[in-house]
Amino acid sequence: TTENTTIDPGQLVQLQAVGGGGNYVWSPTTGIGNPTVANPVASPLETTTYTVTVTDANGCTATATITVTEP
C-alpha cells in the first residue's frame, strides 16, 4: 500500500494495494469511493486506519494497513 499520509480537510488521497491481484476489500468503508478495488480514492473526515485484505485465486489472503491523518 501507499505510505501513511496526512491530508487537508476535504482533500482526496488515492490508496494503492500492490501485489498479485485478486479480490480486494478495504475497511472501514467510511470515506472510500469503492472499497473493492486495488486503488480506491479516500477522503476521511477524521484520522482513519484502513486495512485492505486481498484474496487470490487460490484462496490465500494477505492484509496491509495505511493510516490517513486529517489534522
Side-chain angles (χ1 to χ4, degrees), residues 14-37:
Q14 186 159 23
L15 308 179
Q16 180 68 47
V18 294
N23 294 317
Y24 298 88
V25 178
W26 290 86
S27 66
T29 58
T30 304
I32 290 185
N34 183 346
T36 61
V37 296

Side-chain angles (χ1 to χ4, degrees), residues 1-5 13 15 25-32 42-53 63-70:
T1 62
T2 52
E3 295 182 17
N4 294 340
T5 190
V13 62
L15 308 179
V25 178
W26 290 86
S27 66
T29 58
T30 304
I32 290 185
S43 183
L45 298 177
E46 61 188 16
T47 298
T48 303
T49 298
Y50 292 105
T51 301
V52 61
T53 301
T63 60
T65 61
I66 181 173
T67 299
V68 178
T69 303
E70 177 142 353

